[in-house]
Amino acid sequence: MAIKDYEVKQLKAFFDEVDANGVSNAEKIGGFDENNPKEASGIIYDENDKLIGVGIHIFNEDVYPIQSSKAFYRGLGLTGSINTDNFEDCVFMELYRNDLTEVSLKNMPALRILGYRGCKNLHHIDTSECPALQGLDAGICGCDSFDMSKNPELVEFYCDENRNITSVDISKNQKLKYFYCHKNNISEFDGMNNPLLRHVDTTDNPMTHLKCWAPRPDHEDERGADEYIELTAAEGGYVGVLFKPIYNEKWKETGEWQQKFVAKAKDGYEFEAWIDDITKEVVSTDSTMDVEIGTAARMTATFKAV
């Protein structure tokens, strides 16, 4: 199979882009020869001359979850726009911490892993024509919205630290296991269509209500109808939830997990108590509650003016 000329042309257009100092993207990656694109750093072809990767090579056969990989383009200052429309064989793409301003991802049916973390000038990522997408890392970008409704295979979604985001709809992503949306401007979170969620961080948002299933990191069998978390913030503050492994040198071996319910007061208020929504009793006077992984709860965080 011959290398597709239009793919090379589109890549050349990206690598020809120059920054404010006149340095091209091609120079930053060590050169790009359109007559020999297979020699360019970070442009990955398979044995049949199919272009399967841009910016990263994932070596494990199943691609996801990533077990062995090599990234090429992280933090190189790559600038401008990159058009990978109709890269029909491309499976993985990653350009972390660059100065991209625009990306185009039309008709990419094989794309499974996509990463733009730290591209702070990137304000829009449209994955609607990437139906096989399993992982998107768009944390610390400049995005103001995401539409993931056309990505039913999505397992990991990181959209943390995009301060313009006010809401995220993940109701169509029933395979989702990882969802990190902390440090945004989101007021509500609904994860009730996502029964497999086991890694979640919604903290540091102006969130007044959230509802999701209690995590089950070790098994995915059917759960009881009341095994969910619902947190509400009364006047004067916000709520959030976090559950994920305790990452340390032996975290893969120990299998230790953490789960936290977090309340944060607005300016002029202080946290008062967590109140059980059913019994109306005080559950805790600690703004951050550390609980056993898998704990369900229906509580309201109360605050008082100071």
Side-chain angles (χ1 to χ4, degrees):
M1 181 180 292
I3 291 174
K4 296 176 181 178
D5 291 339
Y6 71 86
E7 292 180 339
V8 176
K9 183 178 180 180
Q10 287 167 227
L11 288 172
K12 183 177 185 303
F14 171 60
F15 289 123
D16 282 348
E17 297 241 20
V18 297
D19 62 20
N21 296 315
V23 181
S24 71
N25 289 338
E27 292 176 80
K28 294 172 183 177
I29 70 162
F32 180 79
D33 181 357
E34 62 184 308
N35 296 311
N36 195 9
K38 294 173 68 174
E39 295 300 314
S41 172
I43 302 301
I44 312 302
Y45 285 88
D46 69 6
E47 65 275 8
N48 297 313
D49 285 340
K50 292 181 178 180
L51 196 160
I52 59 171
V54 176
I56 188 171
H57 193 175
I58 298 175
F59 300 105
N60 48 290
E61 185 176 353
D62 292 335
V63 179
Y64 182 87
I66 299 174
Q67 297 169 344
S68 177
S69 66
K70 180 179 180 179
F72 297 87
Y73 293 169
R74 293 183 177 182
L76 295 184
L78 302 178
T79 191
S81 62
I82 179 168
N83 177 358
T84 53
D85 291 353
N86 302 309
F87 282 31
E88 296 179 342
D89 304 307
C90 188
V91 180
F92 30 84
M93 185 178 340
E94 188 210 274
L95 295 99
Y96 281 8
R97 302 191 308 275
N98 283 291
D99 298 325
L100 304 179
T101 55
E102 187 176 357
V103 298
S104 189
L105 304 161
K106 295 177 181 177
N107 189 30
M108 297 189 70
L111 188 65
R112 294 170 65 183
I113 303 295
L114 181 62
Y116 296 118
R117 171 168 289 272
C119 294
K120 297 181 179 180
N121 297 321
L122 189 57
H123 300 300
H124 183 65
I125 302 171
D126 183 352
T127 60
S128 61
E129 296 188 39
C130 309
L133 191 66
Q134 291 179 292
L136 172 61
D137 190 345
I140 322 178
C141 290
C143 296
D144 55 15
S145 65
F146 290 95
D147 180 358
M148 311 309 297
S149 62
K150 305 296 185 183
N151 307 112
E153 302 300 316
L154 196 66
V155 180
E156 297 192 31
F157 180 26
Y158 305 87
C159 61
D160 50 292
E161 298 192 53
N162 286 264
R163 284 295 187 183
N164 293 327
I165 295 179
T166 58
S167 65
V168 179
D169 183 354
I170 55 172
S171 61
K172 304 295 185 183
N173 311 115
Q174 295 187 14
K175 296 183 179 181
L176 196 65
K177 294 183 179 180
Y178 300 70
F179 180 56
Y180 287 74
C181 67
H182 52 287
K183 297 185 179 179
N184 283 312
N185 201 27
I186 300 169
S187 59
E188 292 194 25
F189 167 57
D190 184 352
M192 293 302 286
N193 275 358
N194 314 96
L196 303 183
L197 280 177
R198 60 177 79 176
H199 300 246
V200 171
D201 188 351
T202 73
T203 61
D204 201 7
N205 279 288
M207 193 169 289
T208 56
H209 182 255
L210 67 87
K211 189 174 183 180
C212 62
W213 293 106
R216 282 189 169 181
D218 299 323
H219 54 96
E220 298 175 356
D221 52 317
E222 189 172 340
R223 68 190 74 203
D226 61 347
E227 293 184 55
Y228 63 88
I229 297 164
E230 185 168 15
L231 304 180
T232 303
E235 174 62 31
Y238 310 116
V239 292
V241 67
L242 179 149
F243 37 88
K244 63 182 181 180
I246 297 174
Y247 294 111
N248 53 41
E249 291 182 358
K250 296 183 178 181
W251 72 270
K252 290 184 178 180
E253 292 80 17
T254 61
E256 290 186 85
W257 288 72
Q258 59 183 321
Q259 180 175 333
K260 299 176 184 289
F261 303 139
V262 181
K264 183 178 181 180
K266 297 179 183 179
D267 290 342
Y269 290 82
E270 66 180 26
F271 174 75
E272 192 170 33
W274 288 103
I275 307 296
D276 188 291
D277 288 345
I278 298 173
T279 67
K280 307 303 180 184
E281 296 179 351
V282 173
V283 179
S284 176
T285 55
D286 294 325
S287 59
T288 297
M289 285 183 60
D290 291 284
V291 298
E292 184 178 351
I293 192 71
T295 297
R298 284 163 288 289
M299 298 188 299
T300 296
T302 62
F303 306 86
K304 61 183 179 181
V306 293

